[in-house]
Amino acid sequence: SAFLLPNGPVRGHPPLDTFVVPLAELERLSGLALFREMPGRERARPLCAGERADERCGVGHIDGRIEGWKVLGHLKLSQDCAELSAVWSDAVARSGRFDAMPVLSRAMEHKASSLACEWKPPTPAK
Protein backbone atom coordinates (compact mmCIF):
# COMPACT_ATOMS: atom_id res chain seq x y z
CA SER A 1 0.00 0.00 0.00
CA ALA A 2 0.96 3.65 -0.29
CA PHE A 3 -0.17 7.05 0.91
CA LEU A 4 -1.87 9.34 -1.60
CA LEU A 5 -2.30 12.87 -0.28
CA PRO A 6 -3.81 15.87 -2.04
CA ASN A 7 -1.47 18.49 -3.43
CA GLY A 8 -2.78 21.22 -1.18
CA PRO A 9 -4.07 21.94 2.30
CA VAL A 10 -5.92 19.21 4.17
CA ARG A 11 -8.64 20.56 6.43
CA GLY A 12 -8.88 19.29 9.97
CA HIS A 13 -6.79 16.38 11.18
CA PRO A 14 -7.95 13.32 9.23
CA PRO A 15 -6.37 10.04 10.29
CA LEU A 16 -3.36 9.05 8.19
CA ASP A 17 -5.06 5.85 7.10
CA THR A 18 -7.62 8.00 5.28
CA PHE A 19 -4.95 8.40 2.59
CA VAL A 20 -3.90 4.74 2.21
CA VAL A 21 -4.38 3.29 -1.26
CA PRO A 22 -3.18 0.04 -2.82
CA LEU A 23 0.17 0.41 -4.53
CA ALA A 24 -1.42 -0.65 -7.84
CA GLU A 25 -3.87 2.26 -7.53
CA LEU A 26 -1.03 4.75 -7.01
CA GLU A 27 0.79 3.30 -10.01
CA ARG A 28 -2.34 3.56 -12.15
CA LEU A 29 -2.99 7.17 -11.15
CA SER A 30 0.63 8.31 -11.46
CA GLY A 31 1.70 6.28 -14.47
CA LEU A 32 4.75 5.09 -12.51
CA ALA A 33 5.96 1.54 -11.90
CA LEU A 34 7.06 1.40 -8.26
CA PHE A 35 9.10 -1.34 -6.60
CA ARG A 36 8.70 -3.73 -9.55
CA GLU A 37 11.92 -5.55 -8.60
CA MET A 38 11.02 -5.95 -4.92
CA PRO A 39 10.72 -9.63 -4.01
CA GLY A 40 7.38 -10.52 -2.43
CA ARG A 41 5.82 -7.22 -3.46
CA GLU A 42 2.37 -8.78 -3.77
CA ARG A 43 2.57 -10.26 -0.27
CA ALA A 44 3.83 -7.12 1.51
CA ARG A 45 1.78 -6.16 4.55
CA PRO A 46 -0.29 -3.00 4.21
CA LEU A 47 1.34 0.13 5.68
CA CYS A 48 -1.26 0.43 8.39
CA ALA A 49 -1.47 -3.24 9.33
CA GLY A 50 -1.09 -3.42 13.07
CA GLU A 51 -1.38 -6.20 15.57
CA ARG A 52 -5.06 -5.40 16.18
CA ALA A 53 -7.76 -5.01 13.54
CA ASP A 54 -8.82 -1.63 14.95
CA GLU A 55 -5.34 -0.09 14.80
CA ARG A 56 -4.92 2.93 12.54
CA CYS A 57 -1.85 4.50 10.96
CA GLY A 58 0.03 6.71 13.35
CA VAL A 59 -1.63 5.05 16.31
CA GLY A 60 0.02 2.20 18.16
CA HIS A 61 2.60 0.34 16.12
CA ILE A 62 4.29 3.31 14.41
CA ASP A 63 4.00 5.82 17.25
CA GLY A 64 7.60 5.06 18.18
CA ARG A 65 8.90 6.09 14.80
CA ILE A 66 6.84 9.26 14.83
CA GLU A 67 8.19 10.08 18.30
CA GLY A 68 11.73 9.36 17.11
CA TRP A 69 11.41 11.76 14.17
CA LYS A 70 10.03 14.46 16.46
CA VAL A 71 12.95 14.07 18.86
CA LEU A 72 15.40 14.13 15.94
CA GLY A 73 13.88 17.44 14.84
CA HIS A 74 14.17 18.86 18.37
CA LEU A 75 17.80 17.75 18.57
CA LYS A 76 18.65 19.42 15.27
CA LEU A 77 16.84 22.63 16.22
CA SER A 78 18.44 22.98 19.67
CA GLN A 79 19.97 26.43 20.05
CA ASP A 80 22.32 25.85 22.98
CA CYS A 81 23.88 23.15 25.14
CA ALA A 82 21.22 23.38 27.88
CA GLU A 83 18.38 22.88 25.40
CA LEU A 84 20.27 20.07 23.68
CA SER A 85 20.86 18.36 27.01
CA ALA A 86 17.17 18.63 27.96
CA VAL A 87 16.07 17.15 24.61
CA TRP A 88 18.58 14.31 24.96
CA SER A 89 17.45 13.55 28.51
CA ASP A 90 13.87 13.33 27.27
CA ALA A 91 14.97 11.03 24.42
CA VAL A 92 16.77 8.70 26.82
CA ALA A 93 13.78 8.64 29.17
CA ARG A 94 11.54 7.56 26.26
CA SER A 95 14.02 5.21 24.60
CA GLY A 96 11.70 2.25 25.06
CA ARG A 97 9.07 4.01 22.94
CA PHE A 98 11.04 4.43 19.71
CA ASP A 99 13.60 2.47 17.74
CA ALA A 100 15.81 5.23 16.37
CA MET A 101 18.34 5.61 19.22
CA PRO A 102 21.42 5.03 16.97
CA VAL A 103 20.25 7.78 14.61
CA LEU A 104 19.42 10.07 17.52
CA SER A 105 22.79 9.39 19.11
CA ARG A 106 24.62 10.38 15.91
CA ALA A 107 22.49 13.53 15.58
CA MET A 108 23.20 14.40 19.22
CA GLU A 109 26.93 13.88 18.73
CA HIS A 110 26.96 16.09 15.63
CA LYS A 111 24.90 18.87 17.24
CA ALA A 112 26.93 18.76 20.48
CA SER A 113 30.08 19.13 18.42
CA SER A 114 28.69 22.07 16.42
CA LEU A 115 27.59 23.83 19.64
CA ALA A 116 30.85 22.91 21.46
CA CYS A 117 28.93 21.06 24.17
CA GLU A 118 30.44 18.35 26.33
CA TRP A 119 28.79 15.04 25.54
CA LYS A 120 29.85 11.41 25.62
CA PRO A 121 28.07 8.94 23.35
CA PRO A 122 26.26 6.17 25.21
CA THR A 123 28.02 2.85 25.53
CA PRO A 124 26.16 -0.22 24.31
CA ALA A 125 24.55 -2.32 27.04
CA LYS A 126 26.16 -5.70 27.62
Side-chain angles (χ1 to χ4, degrees):
S1 57
F3 294 108
L4 178 63
L5 286 93
N7 186 16
V10 176
R11 297 191 184 276
H13 298 282
L16 188 56
D17 52 354
T18 303
F19 304 103
V20 173
V21 297
L23 190 55
E25 176 72 5
L26 182 64
E27 289 177 326
R28 186 184 67 74
L29 292 169
S30 67
L32 300 172
L34 305 169
F35 310 111
R36 290 288 183 195
E37 302 294 318
M38 185 173 90
R41 173 187 136 114
E42 299 79 27
R43 296 181 312 276
R45 289 180 59 198
L47 288 171
C48 297
E51 300 300 317
R52 299 184 332 257
D54 63 340
E55 240 175 2
R56 296 187 347 234
C57 282
V59 179
H61 67 289
I62 65 172
D63 279 352
R65 288 194 178 174
I66 293 169
E67 280 297 314
W69 286 112
K70 287 179 182 177
V71 172
L72 180 62
H74 290 298
L75 284 171
K76 290 185 172 197
L77 294 172
S78 296
Q79 298 292 311
D80 56 43
C81 296
E83 183 181 3
L84 187 63
S85 179
V87 171
W88 182 252
S89 294
D90 186 47
V92 170
R94 297 186 197 192
S95 64
R97 293 185 55 203
F98 48 79
D99 58 2
M101 286 307 287
V103 171
L104 297 176
S105 183
R106 286 191 300 273
M108 173 64 179
E109 188 172 6
H110 182 264
K111 189 66 176 187
S113 174
S114 71
L115 292 173
C117 304
E118 281 190 39
W119 183 73
K120 287 181 134 184
T123 54
K126 292 182 179 182

